[in-house]
């Protein structure tokens, strides 16, 4: 596992903005983002995902099976301190409030031949994040991810076809998969029954590697101590809920009940500046921001669950999560980190 030796906000940042109805630039990200995920907080507009490998104007949607769209009214450019948007209602309705989650990879990407299928990879080995593009072969194979360590989580989608998202997470094993719009799939041959290595991940002939000739995209995450954490926990059904140690104060968390359909709940430290964290969006539907009351607390070293609902804390229920840091508890030497 890599260790943090940087300011987390140089590689991930949540930025809120207000729509104007006219083309505008969103700044204060703190870096030029390579992956931008935007949601309208006031209206039932889809989650929009754009990245630097596919290029500006190209968008896919986490809450839909739809293929990629090319639309110059959505994200129009990746800028040195943020991104620019056109007049799409999903990105820029006048007076509507928006949340953007932004990750830094490494630009438009380079060719990678580590796997049996050639890929284009934009990899940031410091923060453990890469964007991977390839053309489907329709047969099992391996694909280079560029991280130098094995990913803990992979989120993939066909750009060409209206196929399901395919999501792998180390906590459920690599014979299984999740989808944004359905529950976990525990059938054989997911990820070709093979865990990712330090150089490649495996695909079978379904979802993100079929039909032949489809363009595909994947977002790969390796764990970096003090910056990111990918794991699971068991709920207790109590308002004094499970504590999840991350080793940092979270800035952004996604939680999924591993046995239920849908509901990838998203929380961050910009929509809720103080505890308790109450506002939640769901990556698997287009609904507006939902105030659920007392969901969780973001603590200096992890997450304390406060909600007793099935989405967060069913007694004996198993949940997976991904989390990114606001402030690390430890630095690259494993010593207490200086607060930022």
């Amino acid at each position: 596992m890599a260790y943090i030796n940087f300011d987390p906000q140089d590689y991930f940042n949540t930025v809120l903005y207000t729509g104007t109805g006219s083309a505008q630039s969103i700044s204060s990200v703190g870096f030029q983002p390579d992956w931008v995920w935007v949601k309208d907080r006031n209206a039932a507009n889809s989650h929009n995902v754009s990245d630097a490998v596919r290029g500006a104007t190209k968008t896919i949607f986490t809450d839909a099976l739809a293929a990629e769209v090319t639309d110059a009214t959505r994200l129009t450019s990746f800028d040195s301190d943020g991104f620019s948007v056109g007049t799409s209602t999903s990105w820029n309705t006048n007076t509507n409030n928006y949340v953007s989650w932004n990750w830094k990879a490494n630009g438009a990407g380079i060719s990678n031949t580590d796997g049996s299928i050639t890929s284009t990879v934009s990899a940031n080995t410091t923060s453990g994040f890469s964007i991977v593009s390839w053309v489907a072969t329709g047969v099992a194979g391996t694909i280079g991810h560029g991280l130098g360590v094995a990913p803990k989580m992979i989120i993939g989608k066909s750009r060409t076809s209206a196929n399901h998202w395919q999501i792998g997470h180390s906590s459920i094993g690599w014979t299984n998969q999740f989808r944004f719009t359905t529950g976990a799939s525990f059938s054989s041959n997911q990820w070709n029954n093979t865990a990712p290595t330090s150089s490649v991940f495996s695909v079978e002939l379904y979802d993100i590697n079929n039909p032949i000739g489809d363009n595909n995209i994947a977002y790969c995450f390796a764990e970096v101590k003090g910056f990111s954490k990918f794991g699971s926990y068991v709920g207790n059904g109590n308002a004094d809920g499970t504590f999840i140690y991350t080793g940092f104060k979270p800035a952004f968390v996604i939680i999924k009940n591993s046995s239920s359909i849908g509901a990838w709940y998203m929380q961050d430290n910009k929509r809720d500046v103080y505890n308790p964290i109450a506002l939640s969006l769901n990556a698997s539907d287009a609904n507006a921001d939902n105030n659920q009351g007392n969901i969780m607390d973001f603590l200096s070293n992890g997450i304390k669950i406060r909600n007793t609902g099935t989405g967060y804390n069913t007694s004996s229920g198993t949940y997976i999560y991904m989390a990114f840091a606001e402030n690390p508890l430890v630095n690259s030497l494993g010593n207490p980190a200086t607060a930022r």
Side-chain angles (χ1 to χ4, degrees):
M1 181 192 300
Y3 291 78
I4 190 171
N5 194 23
F6 54 84
D7 185 335
Q9 294 179 59
D10 289 341
Y11 294 89
F12 170 80
N13 200 8
T14 301
V15 172
L16 308 180
Y17 68 95
T18 302
T20 64
S22 301
Q24 65 166 324
S25 295
I26 311 304
S27 59
S28 301
V29 171
F31 53 85
Q32 181 166 320
D34 297 303
W35 187 33
V36 177
W37 182 338
V38 162
K39 178 68 180 79
D40 187 336
R41 301 174 58 195
N42 298 118
N45 286 317
S46 283
H47 291 256
N48 282 234
V49 175
S50 296
D51 65 71
V53 172
R54 291 181 295 129
T57 75
K58 298 184 184 300
T59 302
I60 45 179
F61 314 97
T62 65
D63 54 293
L65 276 62
E68 176 185 274
V69 299
T70 300
D71 183 350
T73 71
R74 297 176 191 265
L75 186 143
T76 57
S77 66
F78 298 94
D79 306 331
S80 61
D81 189 31
F83 56 94
S84 295
V85 298
T87 57
S88 166
T89 56
S90 293
W91 292 80
N92 197 18
T93 296
N94 188 35
T95 73
N96 277 18
N97 295 309
Y98 293 82
V99 57
S100 68
W101 301 288
N102 303 273
W103 285 261
K104 181 177 177 61
N106 195 20
I110 60 173
S111 179
N112 182 300
T113 57
D114 289 343
S116 62
I117 302 168
T118 298
S119 56
T120 298
V121 176
S122 174
N124 194 311
T125 56
T126 301
S127 63
F129 172 59
S130 69
I131 304 167
V132 182
S133 176
W134 74 98
V135 177
T137 62
V139 297
T142 57
I143 297 168
H145 55 67
L147 290 175
V149 293
K152 291 278 191 175
M153 187 171 183
I154 300 173
I155 302 173
K157 173 77 174 74
S158 170
R159 301 168 54 188
T160 311
S161 297
N163 285 348
H164 281 287
W165 288 82
Q166 183 170 324
I167 304 171
H169 195 286
S170 58
S171 293
I172 64 165
W174 296 93
T175 60
N176 309 314
Q177 70 169 358
F178 288 104
R179 293 167 172 173
F180 275 129
T181 51
T182 63
S185 171
F186 295 99
S187 58
S188 62
N189 289 328
Q190 309 302 330
W191 308 104
N192 207 30
N193 294 333
T194 305
T197 71
S198 61
S199 58
V200 300
F201 64 90
S202 297
V203 292
E204 73 306 313
L205 65 164
Y206 307 108
D207 286 349
I208 59 171
N209 198 39
N210 194 58
I212 296 171
D214 265 19
N215 293 308
N216 296 281
I217 197 74
Y219 307 105
C220 302
F221 303 90
E223 197 166 279
V224 177
K225 188 172 184 178
F227 173 70
S228 59
K229 187 74 173 175
F230 306 87
S232 65
Y233 68 92
V234 177
N236 63 12
N238 194 298
D240 183 16
T242 303
F243 170 73
I244 306 153
Y245 178 82
T246 59
F248 52 77
K249 183 178 182 180
F252 175 68
V253 175
I254 300 181
I255 288 176
K256 169 80 172 75
N257 186 326
S258 64
S259 60
S260 73
I261 294 175
W264 292 77
Y265 288 122
M266 311 172 74
Q267 294 73 217
D268 62 66
N269 65 345
K270 299 297 175 65
R271 287 178 295 148
D272 282 305
V273 178
Y274 304 106
N275 289 324
I277 304 300
L279 293 172
S280 183
L281 287 161
N282 180 1
S284 59
D285 69 38
N287 292 340
D289 232 347
N290 180 20
N291 190 328
Q292 297 198 46
N294 196 350
I295 299 174
M296 64 183 67
D297 292 337
F298 284 174
L299 305 178
S300 63
N301 59 350
I303 304 158
K304 178 68 172 178
I305 302 296
R306 300 293 186 187
N307 187 288
T308 59
T310 58
Y312 297 95
N313 194 21
T314 295
S315 181
S316 301
T318 300
Y319 297 80
I320 64 163
Y321 68 89
M322 62 186 297
F324 293 88
E326 174 186 338
N327 286 322
L329 183 67
V330 295
N331 63 19
S332 60
L333 301 177
N335 298 320
T338 302
R340 298 181 174 89

